[in-house]
Amino acid sequence: MKLIKKLALIVLILSAYPLVAQENAFQVEIIGNGEPVLLFPGFTCTGEVWKDVVNELSKTNECHVFTFAGFGKVAPIGKPWLPKIKERIEAYISSKNLKNVTIIGHSLGGTLALWLASEDKSKLKKIIVVDALPSIGALMMPNFNSDNISYDNPYSNQILQMNAKDFEKMANQFASGMSLNKKKQATIKKWIIEADRETYVHGYTDLLKLDLREDISRITTSVSILAATQPYGKENVKVNFEKQYKNLKDYIIKYADDSAHFIMYDQPEWFLNTIKAELD
């Protein structure tokens, strides 16, 4: 009887203090030696997107290649997805005592790099932003107000409920517009389809809500921006980029002609040479 009472007491105590599972916000592959370069992929992409770049940069740098939770084979985490990733990257840099860190970020990864640099906790050496903006929401929505963005909205709910066939059709449309390289469109589509559906929906909501247009004024790190000119045309792209980055102090924008969003696929030689020049 005493044993039963003790067990009941233990169960009661445990029910009051639920177990908290350790969440891993990303997977990292480390390749090469030298000053550290952190490579952040875009939304739904895995670290494989950096393969050709890492093959070259790892000869002179220690490359930390990230794949974020919910993408590829990395298990998803709960909301809020993007703030958790940002906080754990800061912890990662600190725990590994990384110094003179350069971040190269594509799309979501570039916006994330701007967010980290705006707070400068890690004293970054440089960031290279690949076709990314401080506020994707402001680009897509007139009179944008981040306070109006929520997880529970008709579009998100529609995507969550979408069947596999319709989701694949949507993924195919997105992939065909993000690269001019038809062979790589299949890879981009595959990443979208393989993404955890809730991460795809709620993670993108986190990105839409993030507005760094004012915060980038605090960035003291040198910023290089590589911008794709397709499908909207160079002049339209210049207007949008210069408008969004106007509060950034030290930056340069280089435009990738005849390239859509995945510059590393559409203009691989120009892309790699430009990255290497920025790191010299």
Side-chain angles (χ1 to χ4, degrees), residues 102-131:
T102 295
I103 296 178
I104 305 175
H106 175 234
S107 192
L108 157 79
T111 303
L112 180 57
L114 292 169
W115 196 7
L116 290 161
S118 70
E119 297 183 0
D120 206 27
K121 294 178 181 178
S122 303
K123 305 299 179 185
L124 302 173
K125 178 181 179 181
K126 185 181 185 67
I127 64 173
I128 301 174
V129 175
V130 183
D131 213 41

Side-chain angles (χ1 to χ4, degrees), residues 53-204:
V53 175
V54 170
N55 285 343
E56 187 65 28
L57 296 190
S58 60
K59 297 174 183 178
T60 54
N61 293 87
E62 183 180 82
C63 297
H64 298 245
V65 187
F66 285 68
T67 298
F68 298 131
F71 302 146
K73 297 181 180 179
V74 184
I77 57 174
K79 303 190 295 287
W81 178 79
L82 192 54
K84 286 182 179 180
I85 287 175
K86 181 235 179 201
E87 290 167 7
R88 286 164 199 179
I89 288 173
E90 290 171 338
Y92 177 86
I93 294 172
S94 177
S95 67
K96 291 194 171 296
N97 196 30
L98 300 179
K99 305 295 183 184
N100 297 319
V101 173
T102 295
I103 296 178
I104 305 175
H106 175 234
S107 192
L108 157 79
T111 303
L112 180 57
L114 292 169
W115 196 7
L116 290 161
S118 70
E119 297 183 0
D120 206 27
K121 294 178 181 178
S122 303
K123 305 299 179 185
L124 302 173
K125 178 181 179 181
K126 185 181 185 67
I127 64 173
I128 301 174
V129 175
V130 183
D131 213 41
L133 293 168
S135 175
I136 187 67
L139 179 68
M140 298 173 66
M141 305 174 196
N143 303 315
F144 173 72
N145 184 340
S146 62
D147 292 336
N148 296 331
I149 305 296
S150 68
Y151 293 120
D152 186 12
N153 64 79
Y155 179 74
S156 293
N157 293 334
Q158 179 186 356
I159 301 299
L160 285 171
Q161 296 165 13
M162 188 177 287
N163 62 45
K165 183 178 179 180
D166 288 340
F167 189 80
E168 181 178 357
K169 182 178 179 181
M170 183 189 72
N172 187 63
Q173 291 175 338
F174 286 171
S176 64
M178 289 193 284
S179 176
L180 306 180
N181 186 328
K182 292 189 179 298
K183 291 182 179 179
K184 293 298 185 180
Q185 288 174 7
T187 300
I188 299 167
K189 174 185 172 180
K190 176 174 173 285
W191 286 331
I192 296 172
I193 292 172
E194 290 180 346
D196 171 70
R197 187 70 68 88
E198 288 195 8
T199 303
Y200 181 87
V201 173
H202 297 145
Y204 198 74

Side-chain angles (χ1 to χ4, degrees), residues 196-213:
D196 171 70
R197 187 70 68 88
E198 288 195 8
T199 303
Y200 181 87
V201 173
H202 297 145
Y204 198 74
T205 301
D206 289 338
L207 179 59
L208 283 177
K209 190 175 181 65
L210 185 62
D211 187 353
L212 302 171
R213 288 175 295 173

